[in-house]
């Protein structure tokens, strides 16, 4: 372009005097454009990283867990007289019997008198299988086993678990006969587990006086 402009005397004279300065200015401008473009790219990348970091921090602060969680599963702690006590992961809707199988089945000394195998499980529930007393050789002490069975073998504490006890175990309670025992079972099947021992008063036929007789002998 400078060569073309030299054909004009006025332009030629201008270029002869100021040409070197113009070339330097053009070079400086070109360098400036390159630096500006580079700065824009770096800044854009930095903004993108900042947005990504901000999004990650936000997810962490609001408790969002990006890990995959198994849908429709529950965790149950299975212990006592089972072959492999464990924290079992089971499908929602599983029963006590499923938890026992997941733990490898029952030990020989397992006392199932008060355990309801058909009971539905809830997430976080503890399933404990009590044991009959054993002698030094690991054999069940028959007399103790018979006494425990007659008493309903409700629990290690000696109390009857009103959420798991069957009719036989419930009838070991003072003032509870076959009809009342069946009412207790029917109530929990219709309304779910008892949340407290006081809830047994919601069962038809069990009033305040009966509850006073039962409260020290029952548990949940």
């Amino acid at each position: 372009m400078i060569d073309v402009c030299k054909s004009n005397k006025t332009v030629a004279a201008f270029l002869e005097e100021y040409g070197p300065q113009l070339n330097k200015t053009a070079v400086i401008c070109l360098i400036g454009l390159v630096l500006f473009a580079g700065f824009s790219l770096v800044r854009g990348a930095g903004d993108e990283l900042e947005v990504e970091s901000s999004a990650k921090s936000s997810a962490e602060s609001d408790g969002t867990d990006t890990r995959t969680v198994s849908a429709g599963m529950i965790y149950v702690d299975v212990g006592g007289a089972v072959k492999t006590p464990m924290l079992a992961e089971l499908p929602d809707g599983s029963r006590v019997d499923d938890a026992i199988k997941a733990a490898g089945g029952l030990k020989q000394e397992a006392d199932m008198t008060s355990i309801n195998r058909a009971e539905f499980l809830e997430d976080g529930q503890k399933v404990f299988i009590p044991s009959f007393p054993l002698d030094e050789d690991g054999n069940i002490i028959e007399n103790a086993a018979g006494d425990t069975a007659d008493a309903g073998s409700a629990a290690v504490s000696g109390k009857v678990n009103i959420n798991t006890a069957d009719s036989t175990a419930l009838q070991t309670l003072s003032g509870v006969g076959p009809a009342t025992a069946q009412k207790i079972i029917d109530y929990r099947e219709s309304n779910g587990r008892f949340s407290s021992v006081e809830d047994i008063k919601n069962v038809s036929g069990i009033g305040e006086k009966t509850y006073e007789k039962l409260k020290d002998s029952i548990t949940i």
Side-chain angles (χ1 to χ4, degrees):
M1 178 178 178
I2 294 175
D3 292 337
V4 174
C5 291
K6 284 182 179 180
S7 61
N8 186 296
K9 291 182 179 181
T10 302
V11 175
F14 177 81
L15 290 175
E16 183 177 354
E17 182 176 354
Y18 298 104
Q21 289 86 344
L22 291 175
N23 288 334
K24 290 180 181 180
T25 301
V27 171
I28 292 173
C29 291
L30 180 60
I31 293 174
L33 288 174
V34 172
L35 291 175
F36 178 77
F39 175 76
S40 298
L41 290 174
V42 172
R43 183 176 180 181
D47 290 343
E48 183 177 350
L49 290 174
E50 183 178 351
V51 171
E52 181 178 351
S53 176
S54 177
K56 182 178 180 181
S57 298
S58 177
E60 292 176 351
S61 63
D62 65 10
T64 302
D65 189 348
T66 57
R67 293 174 297 176
T68 302
V69 179
S70 300
M73 303 298 289
I74 61 173
Y75 287 93
V76 180
D77 186 5
V78 192
V82 291
K83 294 180 179 178
T84 311
M86 64 185 300
L87 179 64
E89 182 181 10
L90 299 168
D92 191 12
S94 296
R95 301 175 185 265
V96 169
D97 189 60
D98 297 315
I100 293 172
K101 291 177 180 177
L106 298 169
K107 290 184 177 180
Q108 181 180 357
E109 66 270 22
D111 176 9
M112 296 296 292
T113 306
S114 62
I115 302 300
N116 180 7
R117 291 174 180 263
E119 179 188 355
F120 283 106
L121 297 170
E122 298 177 357
D123 185 48
Q125 184 175 340
K126 170 74 175 182
V127 176
F128 182 83
I129 308 300
S131 302
F132 287 118
L134 302 176
D135 60 20
E136 295 179 355
D137 298 324
N139 299 315
I140 296 175
I141 301 175
E142 294 184 3
N143 290 338
D147 293 341
T148 306
D150 292 339
S153 295
V156 175
S157 64
K159 295 184 177 183
V160 174
N161 189 321
I162 57 177
N163 279 324
T164 60
D166 59 13
S167 179
T168 300
L170 290 170
Q171 289 178 57
T172 64
L173 296 169
S174 176
V176 176
T180 302
Q182 188 59 49
K183 288 180 180 179
I184 294 173
I185 294 173
D186 291 342
Y187 178 87
R188 72 190 185 201
E189 287 180 350
S190 299
N191 300 280
R193 296 170 59 87
F194 291 100
S195 300
S196 65
V197 292
E198 290 87 351
D199 286 347
I200 198 170
K201 291 188 292 184
N202 295 328
V203 177
S204 176
I206 298 180
E208 189 65 35
K209 291 183 178 180
T210 303
Y211 170 71
E212 288 298 322
K213 296 178 181 179
L214 297 175
K215 66 178 183 179
D216 294 329
S217 303
I218 58 177
T219 186
I220 58 172

